[in-house]
Every structure is written in structure tokens, then in C-alpha cells.
Amino acid sequence: MTELSTDIIIQGCQPISGTIQAGGAKNSVLKLMAAAILAAGQTHITNVPDISDVQTMAEVLRQLGVAVTLEQSALTIDTSTVTSYVAPPELVNQMRASIAVLGPLLGRFHQAQVAVPGGCKIGERQLDLHFSALEALGMQYHTDTVYIHASAPQGLKGAPVNLSFPSVGATENLMMAAVLAEGETVIDNAAREPEIVDLADYLVAMGAQIKGAGTPQIRIIGVRQLKPVAEYQTIGDRIVSGTFLVAGALLGGPLTVEGIKPAHLAAALDKLISMGVTVQAKENSITVFRERPLIPQNIQTLPFPGFPTDLQPQFMVLDCLAKGQALVAENIFENRFQHVRELQQMGAHIKTQGHFATVEGVEQLQGAIVQSSDLRGGAALVLAGLVAKGQTRVTNTEHIDRGYERLTEKLSALGATLTRAGWRTAG
Ligand code: EPZ
């Protein structure tokens, strides 16, 4: 089988500056798409990024009988005729976030059959918190080698749920089931990410009764029926924004990202300032520039509002070029250092031990052929290529295309020199 893949080839050290749009948040819009299942009818979601994960979630919904179209960054979703409750392995294995249909299918239809998501590159990605939370509302389930078979034969009843870890996905699945459950659900130790608040706002627009999203305790009173939202705009993508801001910090800027709320990136912006980067925040945009050497900063990833794990690889590149030593602690995922060996290929001095990485800054990185293993690690390698001496070829860029819309075009528009090089493997 011939497989077409494309590498990204970067000529390093080209100054970049200018203004770029954040685009809609991948980790919100995928859940808004799933939440549309909760009501019959047509809804429009705008500020939708054109990325492969959105295409995959659209395919999952189509498998359920939902009509989905994406045109000019806007989704039209019609859930009038849901004819199936099955999310098949070939789609779930492409994208673990497909598990987000579990809660809404249970909420509206009291049944769901979702393929067991494969483990992924950055960690085990258990679902135990999803299952125990939904069981508290009355879900019964069993898993075979392919599927999670879930149902709520007595319907769903609200209940108090204390999450042992503020899991984003578990909080979202629980919210989407609880909005149609009978009675009140109180979620303690809930995830507080901006994407949780966006999902809650979308559900409230559908007629749900939710209070406290964005705080550790979310209270939901179930209603009998929800209605589709006529039109809803997704929040800006804070991780894509943070990735571009790191590009500006690496090369000096000034670089402005528009369509993002600075409050969604507070921990990352504080870290940039501590690294010697000038940050100017306005209501819906952030500008960075740097005129002094990078100062090394320790990084420890935490649930929101702590430093986001999804920006750990990108910020590690900054530490690779800072004057001194920094310690990076990856506390959220157990295997999120796969970009390290590639950065070492480029001359970075990094030592890892378990979930710690010690970074010794170097004068300059050297261009090399490096391999993306996951979405954010791949983005970090592109950033390293932008600042490295000579040419860098980043392979397996399909990982990057899952979450970055037109990355090469957007960086080229800022002055970077990078292209895509297609190649074929005869299989
Ligand atoms: C979401 O993943 C994001 N993905 C991730 O972004 C992000 O890194 C993560 O939240 C943390 O912010 C989407 O929203 C699609 P979790 P999710 O449940 O929901 C463990 C990206 O690059 N855990 O908060 O899976 C889990 O294994 C991606 O855009 C359990 O043990 O995150 C992980 O170690 C990567 N049992 C940790 O908790 C469970 O039942 C955080 O997981 C659930 C999670």
C-alpha cells in the first residue's frame, strides 16, 4: 500500500514577526461536537479549526447517524436522526477523544458502545475515573476486547462525585451525562480548564442547569430535555497560541496572537516573563518580544490553572537555549518526553530520569532530521527547527496536523522559511 506522508523542512534562524490568529480550541470543539448529541436538531459551531481531529470527530458523529458539515471554520451538525450508539475501533483508535461521546449517548439514549481507546504515545490514558463517575449516576458497563458496552437500564440519577484526580475528560463525560440525569449532581475536584467552562457554557445555552464550571466544584441539576444551540463560538486555542508565542520568544518577535484570552494562558505567560520575554496582554490578544538572553526556568506541569502539560515540550526548547540549568517535571503524563531524544539529536543537553528532565542550555541548536512522536512534541521540534542553525526535517507530521491548522502556511506568513516535502513509501 502506498502511503503518502509529508515532512516539514525548515531553514533555521529566519526572523519571524507579525500577527497570527489563534483559531478555535481543539480540546473544546471536539467536546462541543459530542455534546450536540444531547439534543435533537441543528446546531452551528463557529471558530472551528480545520484539523484532522475535527474531521475524525465528524466521522464518529456520522457513524451515529448525525449529519455534519464543516465549511469556512463553521460546523453544521444535525442530530435529528441518531440511528446508532456505536463508536467503532477504526475511529476511536485514531483519536482517543472519541470517548467524549460516551457521556452524551448515555445522557440522551441510556446506552453506548464505544471502542476501547488504544493506549497512546504519551501515557497509559486510563478511563477508570470516567467509569467510576458515570457508575455513580447509574451507568452499568462491561468491556470485551474491542468495546465498552455501557447502559443505564434504570436511567441516570444525579449523585455526588468526588474525582480523585481533576481529569479533564472525566469531568466532561460526567457533565454531559448529568445534564439529563434526574436530580442534582455535584462534582468535587472537577477539572478547571477553560475548555471545561466552554463546554458548560455550551450546555447552558442548550438549556442545562450548571453552576461552578471553572471552579473545583460543579453543581448540575438535570433537566428533562435540551434544545440545540442555534450558534456557538468556540474559545481560542490556548495551546496553539502558546506554541506561537514560544516561536516569538525564541526568535525575538515581536509576535502577536489574536483571538485568545490571556487569562487562559496565565501560567505560561508568567513563565515567559520569568525567562526574560516581554509580554503585552490585551483583552483578546497577546504580544511577545525578547531583547535579552533567555533565563532558564524550572517547569512543572499541573492541572489548570497550573502550567499546562500541552506546552511542556515547547517550553523545553526555550530552556534548551537559556543560560544555565532548568528542571522540567512532567506530572500529568507518564511518557511525555519523546521529543527529548530528537532535541538531543539537534545538540540539546537534556538528561531524563522518570518524569524529570534536566536541561543544560546551549549556545545554539543544529538542524537535523527529527521524528514527531506526538502532537505537542512534534510542534516543539518545529519550533527547534525555526531557531536551529541550518536545515531541519521533521518527519511523521501527521501527528502535528491533528491539532495545528495550516502550521507551515501560518509560520511562513510570519517570515519563517519552511516547506512540506511529500514522499511515498511503496508498501
Ligand atoms: C485532555 O486529555 C486533553 N485532550 C489533553 O491534550 C491534555 O493534555 C489533558 O486533557 C490535560 O490537560 C483533549 O481534551 C482531547 P485527563 P484527557 O483526563 O482528558 C490520567 C493534546 O495534546 N487519567 O485530565 O485525557 C491520564 O492517564 C492532548 O491536545 C486516569 O488515570 O486528560 C493522564 O495521565 C494531550 N484515569 C491524566 O490523568 C482517567 O480515567 C490526565 O488526564 C482519566 C485520566
Side-chain angles (χ1 to χ4, degrees), residues 26-28 30-31 53 95-99 120 122-132 165-172 191 193 195 238-239 302-304 308-310 331-334 336 374-376 402-403:
K26 166 179 91 78
N27 291 347
S28 179
L30 296 177
K31 307 357 164 359
D53 271 9
M95 183 184 67
R96 301 179 41 74
S98 312
I99 194 68
C120 82
I122 60 175
E124 190 47 39
R125 311 297 291 273
Q126 298 283 349
L127 295 171
D128 55 314
L129 299 174
H130 295 242
F131 294 151
S132 52
F165 176 84
S167 154
V168 170
T171 303
E172 291 163 340
E193 277 69 3
E195 293 76 28
R238 60 195 169 98
I239 305 302
L302 290 167
F304 194 89
T309 173
D310 292 351
N331 298 314
I332 305 295
F333 290 105
E334 57 270 40
R336 199 170 201 170
D374 59 85
L375 166 57
R376 308 301 175 184
R402 292 187 48 186

Side-chain angles (χ1 to χ4, degrees), residues 60-263:
V60 172
L61 293 182
R62 291 184 188 112
Q63 287 280 337
L64 303 176
V66 176
V68 187
T69 54
L70 173 62
E71 269 140 29
Q72 269 94 33
S73 308
L75 277 165
T76 301
I77 300 174
D78 190 333
T79 54
S80 311
T81 55
V82 173
T83 52
S84 158
Y85 313 126
V86 180
E90 59 274 15
L91 290 173
V92 176
N93 285 333
Q94 274 181 51
M95 183 184 67
R96 301 179 41 74
S98 312
I99 194 68
V101 301
L102 176 61
L105 284 172
L106 276 174
R108 184 169 165 207
F109 302 107
H110 298 167
Q111 57 181 305
Q113 193 174 310
V114 181
V116 180
C120 82
K121 297 271 196 308
I122 60 175
E124 190 47 39
R125 311 297 291 273
Q126 298 283 349
L127 295 171
D128 55 314
L129 299 174
H130 295 242
F131 294 151
S132 52
L134 292 169
E135 280 182 306
L137 269 57
M139 174 186 80
Q140 296 172 10
Y141 79 101
H142 68 276
T143 54
D144 58 30
T145 51
V146 182
Y147 282 104
I148 302 158
H149 302 270
S151 65
Q154 322 302 329
L156 293 176
K157 290 188 179 35
V161 176
N162 190 323
L163 293 174
S164 55
F165 176 84
S167 154
V168 170
T171 303
E172 291 163 340
N173 256 329
L174 180 53
M175 273 169 55
M176 291 189 282
V179 290
L180 286 177
E182 190 189 321
E184 184 180 43
T185 297
V186 181
I187 310 175
D188 279 309
N189 198 26
R192 300 165 55 187
E193 277 69 3
E195 293 76 28
I196 299 286
V197 178
D198 206 25
L199 175 60
D201 289 346
Y202 181 76
L203 292 167
V204 167
M206 293 176 80
Q209 294 189 24
I210 304 175
K211 291 210 176 330
T215 76
Q217 185 181 78
I218 301 176
R219 287 179 174 274
I220 299 163
I221 296 178
V223 295
R224 293 187 61 75
Q225 199 173 35
L226 294 170
K227 58 190 187 324
V229 190
E231 175 125 347
Y232 190 86
Q233 180 177 318
T234 317
I235 56 171
D237 193 311
R238 60 195 169 98
I239 305 302
V240 167
S241 300
T243 306
F244 286 122
L245 293 173
V246 168
L250 281 168
L251 288 145
L255 187 148
T256 299
V257 179
E258 286 181 339
I260 184 66
K261 294 218 169 308

Side-chain angles (χ1 to χ4, degrees), residues 24-49:
K26 166 179 91 78
N27 291 347
S28 179
V29 73
L30 296 177
K31 307 357 164 359
L32 304 184
M33 292 170 79
I37 295 168
L38 286 161
Q42 193 168 92
T43 185
H44 297 274
I45 302 173
T46 59
N47 198 27
V48 174

Side-chain angles (χ1 to χ4, degrees), residues 325-342:
Q325 186 179 88
L327 180 68
V328 178
E330 173 50 62
N331 298 314
I332 305 295
F333 290 105
E334 57 270 40
N335 186 29
R336 199 170 201 170
F337 284 147
Q338 298 183 81
H339 46 286
V340 168
R341 69 172 170 277
E342 308 304 313

